[in-house]
Amino acid sequence: KAGVTQTPRYLIKTRGQQVTLSCSPISGHRSVSWYQQTPGQGLQFLFEYFSETQRNKGNFPGRFSGRQFSNSRSEMNVSTLELGDSALYLCASSLAYGLRTEAFFGQGTRLTVV
Amino acid sequence: KNEVEQSPQNLTAQEGEFITINCSYSVGISALHWLQQHPGGGIVSLFMLSSGKKKHGRLIATINIQEKHSSLHITASHPRDSAVYICAVGTQGGSEKLVFGKGTKLTVNP
């Protein structure tokens, strides 16, 4: 069974640009959640999608948005990039929403904003 | 105060030693997750617990719901166990999400 796939693995963007990251969950999983990891803040929850609906959102500005498609694949978008957005972005998939079942993580997308 | 506190932050052990990493939380939870992150970033889910104890190979995880505390034990530690171990709780209530501890960096020397 294929794992969680995130693309791209690495990305370099300039301040002010926007970026879209992709996450393909494990087949059959309907929940996809997104996280930001930085050395200073550690792992922080961005948002969770279940059956194409955003169920929960963390404390991030509106520049961070996402969506989920009917095949459960999810995309995350960050607009007007800032230097502080440089981070490892991870997604996780699980069967049920609210992470009440085991979460499977992708390898992450490392975003560098210059 | 963080909702999830882990200790210790850093841990160095000799191969073969018994390791304990602790996690305390202050919120109502639906489940507690122990995660392992190796250099390079990939995260692996080790355990998901809502009560009691689970064992997988040399790893044992326990949770005490009344005391809001969980421990991860590694028996007969090995250098390949060197990684960052992260405790995360799935919160209950209107805004369900994963809240993470800061992680424990474990180094096991041969």
mmCIF file with all atom_site columns, all heavy atoms in Angstrom, chain B residues 4-28:
data_model
loop_
_atom_site.group_PDB
_atom_site.id
_atom_site.type_symbol
_atom_site.label_atom_id
_atom_site.label_alt_id
_atom_site.label_comp_id
_atom_site.label_asym_id
_atom_site.label_entity_id
_atom_site.label_seq_id
_atom_site.pdbx_PDB_ins_code
_atom_site.Cartn_x
_atom_site.Cartn_y
_atom_site.Cartn_z
_atom_site.occupancy
_atom_site.B_iso_or_equiv
_atom_site.pdbx_formal_charge
_atom_site.auth_seq_id
_atom_site.auth_comp_id
_atom_site.auth_asym_id
_atom_site.auth_atom_id
_atom_site.pdbx_PDB_model_num
ATOM 1   N N   . VAL B 1 4  ? 1.338  20.624 25.912 1.00 0.00 ? 4  VAL B N   1
ATOM 2   C CA  . VAL B 1 4  ? 2.033  19.334 25.950 1.00 0.00 ? 4  VAL B CA  1
ATOM 3   C C   . VAL B 1 4  ? 3.493  19.582 26.312 1.00 0.00 ? 4  VAL B C   1
ATOM 4   O O   . VAL B 1 4  ? 4.182  20.333 25.630 1.00 0.00 ? 4  VAL B O   1
ATOM 5   C CB  . VAL B 1 4  ? 1.953  18.617 24.588 1.00 0.00 ? 4  VAL B CB  1
ATOM 6   C CG1 . VAL B 1 4  ? 2.671  17.278 24.647 1.00 0.00 ? 4  VAL B CG1 1
ATOM 7   C CG2 . VAL B 1 4  ? 0.497  18.427 24.167 1.00 0.00 ? 4  VAL B CG2 1
ATOM 8   N N   . GLU B 1 5  ? 3.933  18.976 27.399 1.00 0.00 ? 5  GLU B N   1
ATOM 9   C CA  . GLU B 1 5  ? 5.308  19.134 27.876 1.00 0.00 ? 5  GLU B CA  1
ATOM 10  C C   . GLU B 1 5  ? 6.015  17.790 27.815 1.00 0.00 ? 5  GLU B C   1
ATOM 11  O O   . GLU B 1 5  ? 5.490  16.791 28.313 1.00 0.00 ? 5  GLU B O   1
ATOM 12  C CB  . GLU B 1 5  ? 5.321  19.651 29.320 1.00 0.00 ? 5  GLU B CB  1
ATOM 13  C CG  . GLU B 1 5  ? 4.707  21.025 29.513 1.00 0.00 ? 5  GLU B CG  1
ATOM 14  C CD  . GLU B 1 5  ? 5.684  22.143 29.184 1.00 0.00 ? 5  GLU B CD  1
ATOM 15  O OE1 . GLU B 1 5  ? 6.841  21.858 28.820 1.00 0.00 ? 5  GLU B OE1 1
ATOM 16  O OE2 . GLU B 1 5  ? 5.268  23.314 29.285 1.00 0.00 ? 5  GLU B OE2 1
ATOM 17  N N   . GLN B 1 6  ? 7.207  17.794 27.241 1.00 0.00 ? 6  GLN B N   1
ATOM 18  C CA  . GLN B 1 6  ? 8.006  16.585 27.181 1.00 0.00 ? 6  GLN B CA  1
ATOM 19  C C   . GLN B 1 6  ? 9.279  16.761 27.984 1.00 0.00 ? 6  GLN B C   1
ATOM 20  O O   . GLN B 1 6  ? 9.830  17.852 28.058 1.00 0.00 ? 6  GLN B O   1
ATOM 21  C CB  . GLN B 1 6  ? 8.428  16.290 25.728 1.00 0.00 ? 6  GLN B CB  1
ATOM 22  C CG  . GLN B 1 6  ? 7.436  15.492 24.943 1.00 0.00 ? 6  GLN B CG  1
ATOM 23  C CD  . GLN B 1 6  ? 7.974  15.135 23.584 1.00 0.00 ? 6  GLN B CD  1
ATOM 24  O OE1 . GLN B 1 6  ? 7.496  15.664 22.583 1.00 0.00 ? 6  GLN B OE1 1
ATOM 25  N NE2 . GLN B 1 6  ? 8.936  14.234 23.522 1.00 0.00 ? 6  GLN B NE2 1
ATOM 26  N N   . SER B 1 7  ? 9.753  15.648 28.531 1.00 0.00 ? 7  SER B N   1
ATOM 27  C CA  . SER B 1 7  ? 11.055 15.664 29.206 1.00 0.00 ? 7  SER B CA  1
ATOM 28  C C   . SER B 1 7  ? 11.716 14.312 29.052 1.00 0.00 ? 7  SER B C   1
ATOM 29  O O   . SER B 1 7  ? 11.029 13.276 28.998 1.00 0.00 ? 7  SER B O   1
ATOM 30  C CB  . SER B 1 7  ? 10.878 16.014 30.698 1.00 0.00 ? 7  SER B CB  1
ATOM 31  O OG  . SER B 1 7  ? 10.104 15.025 31.345 1.00 0.00 ? 7  SER B OG  1
ATOM 32  N N   . PRO B 1 8  ? 13.056 14.274 28.972 1.00 0.00 ? 8  PRO B N   1
ATOM 33  C CA  . PRO B 1 8  ? 13.908 15.451 28.872 1.00 0.00 ? 8  PRO B CA  1
ATOM 34  C C   . PRO B 1 8  ? 13.917 15.994 27.451 1.00 0.00 ? 8  PRO B C   1
ATOM 35  O O   . PRO B 1 8  ? 13.368 15.386 26.548 1.00 0.00 ? 8  PRO B O   1
ATOM 36  C CB  . PRO B 1 8  ? 15.284 14.879 29.251 1.00 0.00 ? 8  PRO B CB  1
ATOM 37  C CG  . PRO B 1 8  ? 15.234 13.465 28.747 1.00 0.00 ? 8  PRO B CG  1
ATOM 38  C CD  . PRO B 1 8  ? 13.820 13.010 28.952 1.00 0.00 ? 8  PRO B CD  1
ATOM 39  N N   . GLN B 1 9  ? 14.551 17.151 27.257 1.00 0.00 ? 9  GLN B N   1
ATOM 40  C CA  . GLN B 1 9  ? 14.682 17.720 25.914 1.00 0.00 ? 9  GLN B CA  1
ATOM 41  C C   . GLN B 1 9  ? 15.713 16.973 25.112 1.00 0.00 ? 9  GLN B C   1
ATOM 42  O O   . GLN B 1 9  ? 15.562 16.765 23.904 1.00 0.00 ? 9  GLN B O   1
ATOM 43  C CB  . GLN B 1 9  ? 15.129 19.179 26.018 1.00 0.00 ? 9  GLN B CB  1
ATOM 44  C CG  . GLN B 1 9  ? 14.032 20.192 25.829 1.00 0.00 ? 9  GLN B CG  1
ATOM 45  C CD  . GLN B 1 9  ? 14.597 21.591 25.777 1.00 0.00 ? 9  GLN B CD  1
ATOM 46  O OE1 . GLN B 1 9  ? 15.294 22.033 26.704 1.00 0.00 ? 9  GLN B OE1 1
ATOM 47  N NE2 . GLN B 1 9  ? 14.312 22.302 24.722 1.00 0.00 ? 9  GLN B NE2 1
ATOM 48  N N   . ASN B 1 10 ? 16.803 16.627 25.791 1.00 0.00 ? 10 ASN B N   1
ATOM 49  C CA  . ASN B 1 10 ? 17.889 15.879 25.161 1.00 0.00 ? 10 ASN B CA  1
ATOM 50  C C   . ASN B 1 10 ? 18.270 14.710 26.053 1.00 0.00 ? 10 ASN B C   1
ATOM 51  O O   . ASN B 1 10 ? 18.231 14.826 27.283 1.00 0.00 ? 10 ASN B O   1
ATOM 52  C CB  . ASN B 1 10 ? 19.123 16.772 24.960 1.00 0.00 ? 10 ASN B CB  1
ATOM 53  C CG  . ASN B 1 10 ? 18.873 17.851 23.937 1.00 0.00 ? 10 ASN B CG  1
ATOM 54  O OD1 . ASN B 1 10 ? 18.890 17.606 22.745 1.00 0.00 ? 10 ASN B OD1 1
ATOM 55  N ND2 . ASN B 1 10 ? 18.622 19.062 24.404 1.00 0.00 ? 10 ASN B ND2 1
ATOM 56  N N   . LEU B 1 11 ? 18.628 13.608 25.431 1.00 0.00 ? 11 LEU B N   1
ATOM 57  C CA  . LEU B 1 11 ? 18.971 12.407 26.176 1.00 0.00 ? 11 LEU B CA  1
ATOM 58  C C   . LEU B 1 11 ? 20.072 11.667 25.435 1.00 0.00 ? 11 LEU B C   1
ATOM 59  O O   . LEU B 1 11 ? 19.943 11.390 24.245 1.00 0.00 ? 11 LEU B O   1
ATOM 60  C CB  . LEU B 1 11 ? 17.722 11.523 26.294 1.00 0.00 ? 11 LEU B CB  1
ATOM 61  C CG  . LEU B 1 11 ? 17.751 10.261 27.119 1.00 0.00 ? 11 LEU B CG  1
ATOM 62  C CD1 . LEU B 1 11 ? 18.231 10.536 28.521 1.00 0.00 ? 11 LEU B CD1 1
ATOM 63  C CD2 . LEU B 1 11 ? 16.358 9.637  27.149 1.00 0.00 ? 11 LEU B CD2 1
ATOM 64  N N   . THR B 1 12 ? 21.152 11.391 26.135 1.00 0.00 ? 12 THR B N   1
ATOM 65  C CA  . THR B 1 12 ? 22.242 10.607 25.564 1.00 0.00 ? 12 THR B CA  1
ATOM 66  C C   . THR B 1 12 ? 22.381 9.324  26.364 1.00 0.00 ? 12 THR B C   1
ATOM 67  O O   . THR B 1 12 ? 22.395 9.361  27.601 1.00 0.00 ? 12 THR B O   1
ATOM 68  C CB  . THR B 1 12 ? 23.566 11.394 25.595 1.00 0.00 ? 12 THR B CB  1
ATOM 69  O OG1 . THR B 1 12 ? 23.403 12.603 24.842 1.00 0.00 ? 12 THR B OG1 1
ATOM 70  C CG2 . THR B 1 12 ? 24.686 10.574 24.968 1.00 0.00 ? 12 THR B CG2 1
ATOM 71  N N   . ALA B 1 13 ? 22.439 8.206  25.681 1.00 0.00 ? 13 ALA B N   1
ATOM 72  C CA  . ALA B 1 13 ? 22.508 6.913  26.347 1.00 0.00 ? 13 ALA B CA  1
ATOM 73  C C   . ALA B 1 13 ? 23.564 6.038  25.682 1.00 0.00 ? 13 ALA B C   1
ATOM 74  O O   . ALA B 1 13 ? 23.970 6.286  24.540 1.00 0.00 ? 13 ALA B O   1
ATOM 75  C CB  . ALA B 1 13 ? 21.144 6.225  26.283 1.00 0.00 ? 13 ALA B CB  1
ATOM 76  N N   . GLN B 1 14 ? 23.977 5.032  26.413 1.00 0.00 ? 14 GLN B N   1
ATOM 77  C CA  . GLN B 1 14 ? 24.866 4.025  25.855 1.00 0.00 ? 14 GLN B CA  1
ATOM 78  C C   . GLN B 1 14 ? 24.023 2.872  25.326 1.00 0.00 ? 14 GLN B C   1
ATOM 79  O O   . GLN B 1 14 ? 22.954 2.567  25.877 1.00 0.00 ? 14 GLN B O   1
ATOM 80  C CB  . GLN B 1 14 ? 25.844 3.504  26.917 1.00 0.00 ? 14 GLN B CB  1
ATOM 81  C CG  . GLN B 1 14 ? 26.925 4.495  27.317 1.00 0.00 ? 14 GLN B CG  1
ATOM 82  C CD  . GLN B 1 14 ? 27.784 4.914  26.130 1.00 0.00 ? 14 GLN B CD  1
ATOM 83  O OE1 . GLN B 1 14 ? 27.886 6.086  25.786 1.00 0.00 ? 14 GLN B OE1 1
ATOM 84  N NE2 . GLN B 1 14 ? 28.407 3.927  25.487 1.00 0.00 ? 14 GLN B NE2 1
ATOM 85  N N   . GLU B 1 15 ? 24.513 2.259  24.273 1.00 0.00 ? 15 GLU B N   1
ATOM 86  C CA  . GLU B 1 15 ? 23.806 1.119  23.697 1.00 0.00 ? 15 GLU B CA  1
ATOM 87  C C   . GLU B 1 15 ? 23.456 0.104  24.775 1.00 0.00 ? 15 GLU B C   1
ATOM 88  O O   . GLU B 1 15 ? 24.296 -0.234 25.613 1.00 0.00 ? 15 GLU B O   1
ATOM 89  C CB  . GLU B 1 15 ? 24.690 0.472  22.623 1.00 0.00 ? 15 GLU B CB  1
ATOM 90  C CG  . GLU B 1 15 ? 24.005 -0.659 21.862 1.00 0.00 ? 15 GLU B CG  1
ATOM 91  C CD  . GLU B 1 15 ? 24.849 -1.145 20.696 1.00 0.00 ? 15 GLU B CD  1
ATOM 92  O OE1 . GLU B 1 15 ? 25.912 -0.545 20.426 1.00 0.00 ? 15 GLU B OE1 1
ATOM 93  O OE2 . GLU B 1 15 ? 24.437 -2.138 20.056 1.00 0.00 ? 15 GLU B OE2 1
ATOM 94  N N   . GLY B 1 16 ? 22.227 -0.364 24.748 1.00 0.00 ? 16 GLY B N   1
ATOM 95  C CA  . GLY B 1 16 ? 21.786 -1.362 25.708 1.00 0.00 ? 16 GLY B CA  1
ATOM 96  C C   . GLY B 1 16 ? 21.014 -0.789 26.879 1.00 0.00 ? 16 GLY B C   1
ATOM 97  O O   . GLY B 1 16 ? 20.331 -1.539 27.590 1.00 0.00 ? 16 GLY B O   1
ATOM 98  N N   . GLU B 1 17 ? 21.107 0.511  27.100 1.00 0.00 ? 17 GLU B N   1
ATOM 99  C CA  . GLU B 1 17 ? 20.415 1.126  28.230 1.00 0.00 ? 17 GLU B CA  1
ATOM 100 C C   . GLU B 1 17 ? 18.903 1.167  28.014 1.00 0.00 ? 17 GLU B C   1
ATOM 101 O O   . GLU B 1 17 ? 18.405 1.164  26.890 1.00 0.00 ? 17 GLU B O   1
ATOM 102 C CB  . GLU B 1 17 ? 20.934 2.542  28.474 1.00 0.00 ? 17 GLU B CB  1
ATOM 103 C CG  . GLU B 1 17 ? 22.303 2.599  29.130 1.00 0.00 ? 17 GLU B CG  1
ATOM 104 C CD  . GLU B 1 17 ? 22.728 4.026  29.457 1.00 0.00 ? 17 GLU B CD  1
ATOM 105 O OE1 . GLU B 1 17 ? 21.930 4.954  29.236 1.00 0.00 ? 17 GLU B OE1 1
ATOM 106 O OE2 . GLU B 1 17 ? 23.862 4.194  29.944 1.00 0.00 ? 17 GLU B OE2 1
ATOM 107 N N   . PHE B 1 18 ? 18.191 1.251  29.129 1.00 0.00 ? 18 PHE B N   1
ATOM 108 C CA  . PHE B 1 18 ? 16.733 1.399  29.143 1.00 0.00 ? 18 PHE B CA  1
ATOM 109 C C   . PHE B 1 18 ? 16.429 2.899  29.122 1.00 0.00 ? 18 PHE B C   1
ATOM 110 O O   . PHE B 1 18 ? 16.960 3.650  29.923 1.00 0.00 ? 18 PHE B O   1
ATOM 111 C CB  . PHE B 1 18 ? 16.168 0.743  30.405 1.00 0.00 ? 18 PHE B CB  1
ATOM 112 C CG  . PHE B 1 18 ? 14.677 0.809  30.521 1.00 0.00 ? 18 PHE B CG  1
ATOM 113 C CD1 . PHE B 1 18 ? 13.876 -0.110 29.863 1.00 0.00 ? 18 PHE B CD1 1
ATOM 114 C CD2 . PHE B 1 18 ? 14.073 1.781  31.310 1.00 0.00 ? 18 PHE B CD2 1
ATOM 115 C CE1 . PHE B 1 18 ? 12.490 -0.064 29.982 1.00 0.00 ? 18 PHE B CE1 1
ATOM 116 C CE2 . PHE B 1 18 ? 12.682 1.835  31.435 1.00 0.00 ? 18 PHE B CE2 1
ATOM 117 C CZ  . PHE B 1 18 ? 11.903 0.910  30.775 1.00 0.00 ? 18 PHE B CZ  1
ATOM 118 N N   . ILE B 1 19 ? 15.578 3.309  28.191 1.00 0.00 ? 19 ILE B N   1
ATOM 119 C CA  . ILE B 1 19 ? 15.288 4.733  27.979 1.00 0.00 ? 19 ILE B CA  1
ATOM 120 C C   . ILE B 1 19 ? 13.845 5.022  28.368 1.00 0.00 ? 19 ILE B C   1
ATOM 121 O O   . ILE B 1 19 ? 12.941 4.230  28.050 1.00 0.00 ? 19 ILE B O   1
ATOM 122 C CB  . ILE B 1 19 ? 15.443 5.093  26.482 1.00 0.00 ? 19 ILE B CB  1
ATOM 123 C CG1 . ILE B 1 19 ? 16.816 4.729  25.946 1.00 0.00 ? 19 ILE B CG1 1
ATOM 124 C CG2 . ILE B 1 19 ? 15.099 6.561  26.210 1.00 0.00 ? 19 ILE B CG2 1
ATOM 125 C CD1 . ILE B 1 19 ? 17.930 5.556  26.482 1.00 0.00 ? 19 ILE B CD1 1
ATOM 126 N N   . THR B 1 20 ? 13.618 6.145  29.025 1.00 0.00 ? 20 THR B N   1
ATOM 127 C CA  . THR B 1 20 ? 12.251 6.604  29.303 1.00 0.00 ? 20 THR B CA  1
ATOM 128 C C   . THR B 1 20 ? 12.120 8.059  28.888 1.00 0.00 ? 20 THR B C   1
ATOM 129 O O   . THR B 1 20 ? 12.936 8.908  29.262 1.00 0.00 ? 20 THR B O   1
ATOM 130 C CB  . THR B 1 20 ? 11.902 6.472  30.788 1.00 0.00 ? 20 THR B CB  1
ATOM 131 O OG1 . THR B 1 20 ? 11.907 5.085  31.151 1.00 0.00 ? 20 THR B OG1 1
ATOM 132 C CG2 . THR B 1 20 ? 10.519 7.047  31.062 1.00 0.00 ? 20 THR B CG2 1
ATOM 133 N N   . ILE B 1 21 ? 11.092 8.352  28.120 1.00 0.00 ? 21 ILE B N   1
ATOM 134 C CA  . ILE B 1 21 ? 10.752 9.725  27.728 1.00 0.00 ? 21 ILE B CA  1
ATOM 135 C C   . ILE B 1 21 ? 9.345  9.993  28.254 1.00 0.00 ? 21 ILE B C   1
ATOM 136 O O   . ILE B 1 21 ? 8.459  9.150  28.130 1.00 0.00 ? 21 ILE B O   1
ATOM 137 C CB  . ILE B 1 21 ? 10.798 9.891  26.194 1.00 0.00 ? 21 ILE B CB  1
ATOM 138 C CG1 . ILE B 1 21 ? 12.214 9.593  25.680 1.00 0.00 ? 21 ILE B CG1 1
ATOM 139 C CG2 . ILE B 1 21 ? 10.369 11.296 25.801 1.00 0.00 ? 21 ILE B CG2 1
ATOM 140 C CD1 . ILE B 1 21 ? 12.309 9.504  24.173 1.00 0.00 ? 21 ILE B CD1 1
ATOM 141 N N   . ASN B 1 22 ? 9.184  11.146 28.869 1.00 0.00 ? 22 ASN B N   1
ATOM 142 C CA  . ASN B 1 22 ? 7.908  11.475 29.508 1.00 0.00 ? 22 ASN B CA  1
ATOM 143 C C   . ASN B 1 22 ? 7.150  12.573 28.775 1.00 0.00 ? 22 ASN B C   1
ATOM 144 O O   . ASN B 1 22 ? 7.746  13.458 28.155 1.00 0.00 ? 22 ASN B O   1
ATOM 145 C CB  . ASN B 1 22 ? 8.153  11.922 30.951 1.00 0.00 ? 22 ASN B CB  1
ATOM 146 C CG  . ASN B 1 22 ? 8.712  10.807 31.784 1.00 0.00 ? 22 ASN B CG  1
ATOM 147 O OD1 . ASN B 1 22 ? 8.083  9.768  31.941 1.00 0.00 ? 22 ASN B OD1 1
ATOM 148 N ND2 . ASN B 1 22 ? 9.914  10.992 32.301 1.00 0.00 ? 22 ASN B ND2 1
ATOM 149 N N   . CYS B 1 23 ? 5.823  12.512 28.885 1.00 0.00 ? 23 CYS B N   1
ATOM 150 C CA  . CYS B 1 23 ? 4.949  13.493 28.247 1.00 0.00 ? 23 CYS B CA  1
ATOM 151 C C   . CYS B 1 23 ? 3.795  13.801 29.188 1.00 0.00 ? 23 CYS B C   1
ATOM 152 O O   . CYS B 1 23 ? 3.107  12.876 29.645 1.00 0.00 ? 23 CYS B O   1
ATOM 153 C CB  . CYS B 1 23 ? 4.433  12.935 26.921 1.00 0.00 ? 23 CYS B CB  1
ATOM 154 S SG  . CYS B 1 23 ? 3.240  13.974 26.083 1.00 0.00 ? 23 CYS B SG  1
ATOM 155 N N   . SER B 1 24 ? 3.609  15.069 29.486 1.00 0.00 ? 24 SER B N   1
ATOM 156 C CA  . SER B 1 24 ? 2.465  15.499 30.295 1.00 0.00 ? 24 SER B CA  1
ATOM 157 C C   . SER B 1 24 ? 1.631  16.474 29.479 1.00 0.00 ? 24 SER B C   1
ATOM 158 O O   . SER B 1 24 ? 2.174  17.272 28.716 1.00 0.00 ? 24 SER B O   1
ATOM 159 C CB  . SER B 1 24 ? 2.947  16.193 31.579 1.00 0.00 ? 24 SER B CB  1
ATOM 160 O OG  . SER B 1 24 ? 3.659  15.305 32.388 1.00 0.00 ? 24 SER B OG  1
ATOM 161 N N   . TYR B 1 25 ? 0.321  16.426 29.665 1.00 0.00 ? 25 TYR B N   1
ATOM 162 C CA  . TYR B 1 25 ? -0.551 17.305 28.894 1.00 0.00 ? 25 TYR B CA  1
ATOM 163 C C   . TYR B 1 25 ? -1.612 17.902 29.807 1.00 0.00 ? 25 TYR B C   1
ATOM 164 O O   . TYR B 1 25 ? -1.901 17.374 30.888 1.00 0.00 ? 25 TYR B O   1
ATOM 165 C CB  . TYR B 1 25 ? -1.192 16.553 27.718 1.00 0.00 ? 25 TYR B CB  1
ATOM 166 C CG  . TYR B 1 25 ? -1.914 15.288 28.115 1.00 0.00 ? 25 TYR B CG  1
ATOM 167 C CD1 . TYR B 1 25 ? -3.264 15.298 28.406 1.00 0.00 ? 25 TYR B CD1 1
ATOM 168 C CD2 . TYR B 1 25 ? -1.225 14.077 28.186 1.00 0.00 ? 25 TYR B CD2 1
ATOM 169 C CE1 . TYR B 1 25 ? -3.928 14.139 28.771 1.00 0.00 ? 25 TYR B CE1 1
ATOM 170 C CE2 . TYR B 1 25 ? -1.870 12.911 28.552 1.00 0.00 ? 25 TYR B CE2 1
ATOM 171 C CZ  . TYR B 1 25 ? -3.222 12.943 28.844 1.00 0.00 ? 25 TYR B CZ  1
ATOM 172 O OH  . TYR B 1 25 ? -3.872 11.797 29.213 1.00 0.00 ? 25 TYR B OH  1
ATOM 173 N N   . SER B 1 26 ? -2.175 19.005 29.369 1.00 0.00 ? 26 SER B N   1
ATOM 174 C CA  . SER B 1 26 ? -3.091 19.736 30.253 1.00 0.00 ? 26 SER B CA  1
ATOM 175 C C   . SER B 1 26 ? -4.486 19.877 29.666 1.00 0.00 ? 26 SER B C   1
ATOM 176 O O   . SER B 1 26 ? -5.337 20.537 30.248 1.00 0.00 ? 26 SER B O   1
ATOM 177 C CB  . SER B 1 26 ? -2.523 21.118 30.568 1.00 0.00 ? 26 SER B CB  1
ATOM 178 O OG  . SER B 1 26 ? -2.303 21.839 29.371 1.00 0.00 ? 26 SER B OG  1
ATOM 179 N N   . VAL B 1 27 ? -4.732 19.255 28.515 1.00 0.00 ? 27 VAL B N   1
ATOM 180 C CA  . VAL B 1 27 ? -6.032 19.394 27.852 1.00 0.00 ? 27 VAL B CA  1
ATOM 181 C C   . VAL B 1 27 ? -6.728 18.044 27.788 1.00 0.00 ? 27 VAL B C   1
ATOM 182 O O   . VAL B 1 27 ? -6.097 17.007 27.965 1.00 0.00 ? 27 VAL B O   1
ATOM 183 C CB  . VAL B 1 27 ? -5.863 19.961 26.426 1.00 0.00 ? 27 VAL B CB  1
ATOM 184 C CG1 . VAL B 1 27 ? -5.334 21.386 26.480 1.00 0.00 ? 27 VAL B CG1 1
ATOM 185 C CG2 . VAL B 1 27 ? -4.944 19.081 25.587 1.00 0.00 ? 27 VAL B CG2 1
ATOM 186 N N   . GLY B 1 28 ? -8.034 18.090 27.538 1.00 0.00 ? 28 GLY B N   1
ATOM 187 C CA  . GLY B 1 28 ? -8.761 16.842 27.314 1.00 0.00 ? 28 GLY B CA  1
ATOM 188 C C   . GLY B 1 28 ? -8.372 16.275 25.969 1.00 0.00 ? 28 GLY B C   1
ATOM 189 O O   . GLY B 1 28 ? -8.215 17.009 24.995 1.00 0.00 ? 28 GLY B O   1
#
